Amino acid sequence: MKKIQMVDLQSQYQNIKSEVDAAIINVIEQANFINGPEVSDFKSELEKYLNVSHVIPCANGTDALQIALMALDLKPGDEVITPSFTYIATTEVIALLGLTPVFVDVLPDTFCIDPSKIEEAITDKTKVIVPVHLYGQCADMDAILAIAKKYNLKVVEDTAQAIGADYTHKNGKISKAGTMGDIGCTSFFPSKNLGCYGDGGAMYTNDPHLAASLKKIANHGQVIKYHHEVVGCNSRLDTIQAAILKIKLPLLDGYCSARQKVAEYYNHAFAEVKQITTPYKAPNTTHVYHQYTIKLSGVDRKELIEYLNSHGIPSMIYYPLPAHKQGMFKSFGKENQDLPITNQLTECVLSLPIHTEMEQEQLEYITKHVIYFINSFA
Ligand SMILES: *Cc1c(COP(=O)(O)O)cnc(C)c1O
């Protein structure tokens, strides 16, 4: 049996090696390392795939979030509503820009921000809501967009884990994750569902003014070379990365269904195990399973992780410490904020290996060991 990994990027590469190698060599031969034609090709192809007017490529997902907030003309002290149960980047950029993160609890089933808790967190300083489409399914966007409209707030979607997911609105319209709010932010980090071979990211928007602003900020605040209108940064997608992403974008839907098949296998195998709650998928969104995350009850999680490890099965806790308890936010004094679901999830979630080239044999082996441990020791 092939070695089990959380993500098996080597096996995925082997299946596209000749195309990828040729594309990389081509960029090197052309020496178009910065803003080569592959960057604008990929941008247009992603716009088409997402059915969005503007994609602005950038250097990574964290930059995408930072630049998105910079484009919204906020003042220091303005408040940004965000879940605490997320990867640190979502919340870090808020504080970095002198804004105030306001943490809201998540739903126990979808792990995404709880819309019913957003309204009570709104003050006259609130300017933005940043929902995170955690693990690969969309947050409850109809509810979030309705609140944003009512209070005149901007919505920045963190879709780093959900590229390719579809959300069905109440009116039947289907939107791709990241194209529903004012700005969507994604990451092409290698292990993401559409990953490159280094760092990469992008912002999406349907608003031409925001698109111009995002593009300008990502390019040192300039539209005309050497004329810097606003304070910006240097955030570009490398041509080599764009060339790789151009090859992988047409494969994305296939990659998502491969992940969905893995999830189905796990769901089925764990259906009768009462100590395991398999991931819930909300009816109005597809789930692209960036992570397959179970909730454990009556199981010593640490011992399970060690047992699996000793049998060559990796597993991960995403995320062991929620944002509101991180040292970086100490000055906001939120470490004792009552976010019961967030706090509870950090104690009981466990993510199992899931990727695009998983083999039946590996899945049988993983599920057999998880169930064996639970039946014997729990
Ligand atoms: C990966 C990730 C990011 C950051 O992306 P980078 O490209 O690593 O900067 C932001 N938010 C979430 C939810 C992520 O999973």
Side-chain angles (χ1 to χ4, degrees), residues 12 19 27 37 65 81 110 132 150 169 174 200 202 213 228 245 265 269 316 321 339 344 363:
Q12 194 189 63
E19 278 173 274
V27 174
L65 289 159
I81 290 179
T110 65
V132 181
K150 181 170 167 194
H169 296 273
I174 296 176
S213 201
H228 306 275
L245 290 165
Y265 185 97
M316 293 289 285
L321 193 61
L339 298 172
Q344 188 194 323
L363 287 167

Side-chain angles (χ1 to χ4, degrees), residues 60-62 65 86-87 89-90 132 134 158 160-161 187-189 192 199-200 319:
N60 56 67
T62 309
L65 289 159
T86 179
Y87 180 57
T90 320
V132 181
L134 201 72
D158 182 344
Q161 300 188 0
S187 164
F188 305 120
F189 186 82
K192 297 285 157 83
D199 276 307
Y319 296 92

Side-chain angles (χ1 to χ4, degrees), residues 87-132:
Y87 180 57
I88 197 64
T90 320
T91 55
E92 179 183 38
V93 296
I94 299 170
L96 182 74
L97 294 173
L99 307 167
T100 303
V102 174
F103 301 113
V104 166
D105 216 350
V106 291
L107 289 161
D109 50 4
T110 65
F111 310 112
C112 291
I113 195 164
D114 182 347
S116 75
K117 301 274 163 56
I118 292 178
E119 229 164 330
E120 62 200 53
I122 293 174
T123 72
D124 53 8
K125 286 185 173 168
T126 308
K127 295 289 157 58
V128 189
I129 307 172
V130 184
V132 181

Side-chain angles (χ1 to χ4, degrees), residues 14-156:
Q14 287 308 322
N15 292 328
I16 50 174
K17 180 174 164 34
S18 55
E19 278 173 274
V20 167
D21 291 0
I24 293 174
I25 289 169
N26 181 55
V27 174
I28 299 171
E29 281 177 353
Q30 303 295 321
N32 267 326
F33 301 110
I34 304 296
N35 289 334
E38 288 82 356
V39 179
S40 50
D41 288 355
F42 171 65
K43 166 196 155 74
S44 316
E45 286 157 25
L46 187 56
E47 283 166 352
K48 216 164 138 204
Y49 173 82
L50 295 167
N51 191 23
V52 72
S53 321
H54 306 275
V55 164
I56 299 95
C58 66
N60 56 67
T62 309
D63 274 12
L65 289 159
Q66 180 187 326
I67 296 164
L69 292 175
M70 286 170 81
L72 296 177
D73 292 325
L74 306 171
K75 301 182 302 301
D78 281 350
E79 294 176 358
V80 179
I81 290 179
T82 166
S84 173
F85 192 65
T86 179
Y87 180 57
I88 197 64
T90 320
T91 55
E92 179 183 38
V93 296
I94 299 170
L96 182 74
L97 294 173
L99 307 167
T100 303
V102 174
F103 301 113
V104 166
D105 216 350
V106 291
L107 289 161
D109 50 4
T110 65
F111 310 112
C112 291
I113 195 164
D114 182 347
S116 75
K117 301 274 163 56
I118 292 178
E119 229 164 330
E120 62 200 53
I122 293 174
T123 72
D124 53 8
K125 286 185 173 168
T126 308
K127 295 289 157 58
V128 189
I129 307 172
V130 184
V132 181
H133 304 317
L134 201 72
Y135 303 151
Q137 74 175 316
C138 295
D140 186 356
M141 288 305 292
D142 277 341
I144 294 164
L145 292 169
I147 296 167
K149 194 167 173 203
K150 181 170 167 194
Y151 293 91
N152 195 24
L153 308 175
K154 300 288 186 200
V155 175
V156 173

Side-chain angles (χ1 to χ4, degrees), residues 84-85 105-106 301 319-325 334-349:
S84 173
F85 192 65
D105 216 350
V106 291
R301 183 173 62 170
Y319 296 92
L321 193 61
H324 71 287
K325 293 186 180 172
K334 294 292 182 198
E335 64 265 41
N336 296 320
Q337 190 185 340
D338 190 26
L339 298 172
I341 307 297
T342 296
N343 290 337
Q344 188 194 323
L345 289 176
T346 58
E347 300 294 324
C348 73
V349 289

